């Protein structure tokens, strides 16, 4: 925590998973549906569509380098690739929240809601 100097210029934020996890669409899903291989991952990713905390979930998985399962609509392979492409990011949560805010600002009040659904 508290690291600086990354691509986003901020440190890792300490929001607890329990804060946003209570609102996750998958909170009542069978964990065996989220930690799958192959084509079954597409079904798991579909649960993330429209989830109100998709951004927070993805950021949590990236910030904590979670290796297994679908988090925030991304598989472990997709997350690893993203981490390799952006090695200097120290807080994915802040970076993704800043991107969401910018998208909402540019899109206007009505279209900004689409970000939550599309991530």
């Amino acid at each position: 925590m508290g690291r600086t100097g990354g691509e986003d210029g901020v440190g890792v934020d300490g929001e607890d998973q329990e804060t946003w996890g209570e609102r996750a669409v998958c909170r009542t899903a069978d964990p065996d549906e989220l930690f799958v291989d192959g084509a079954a991952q597409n079904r798991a990713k579909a649960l993330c569509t429209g989830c109100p905390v998709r951004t927070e979930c993805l950021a949590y998985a990236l910030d904590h380098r979670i290796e297994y399962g679908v988090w925030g609509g991304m598989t472990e392979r997709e997350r690893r690739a993203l981490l390799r492409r952006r090695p200097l990011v120290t807080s994915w949560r802040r970076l993704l929240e800043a991107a969401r805010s910018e998208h909402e600002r540019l899109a206007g009040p009505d279209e900004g809601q689409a970000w939550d659904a599309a991530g």
Side-chain angles (χ1 to χ4, degrees), residues 24-116:
V25 169
C26 66
R27 73 186 172 285
T28 58
D30 180 354
D32 290 337
E33 294 177 20
L34 303 173
F35 296 89
V36 292
D37 293 321
Q41 289 180 328
N42 289 330
R43 287 190 301 276
K45 288 168 62 168
L47 284 173
C48 301
T49 304
C51 181
V53 294
R54 183 175 179 177
T55 300
E56 292 84 352
C57 180
L58 176 58
Y60 182 86
L62 292 167
D63 283 337
H64 292 89
R65 304 300 195 262
I66 296 175
E67 295 184 23
Y68 302 105
V70 171
W71 290 76
M74 292 184 82
T75 66
E76 56 267 15
R77 176 178 279 171
E78 293 166 334
R79 291 192 309 275
R80 280 194 305 269
L82 182 56
L83 289 168
R84 279 193 304 272
R85 285 193 307 269
R86 305 287 297 271
L88 300 178
V89 175
T90 57
S91 174
W92 284 95
R93 179 174 174 238
R94 290 195 183 173
L95 182 68
L96 292 175
E97 286 179 353
R100 178 172 54 191
S101 294
E102 181 67 9
H103 173 79
E104 290 172 352
R105 185 183 70 76
L106 294 174
D110 294 333
E111 294 180 39
Q113 299 299 319
W115 174 267
D116 291 330

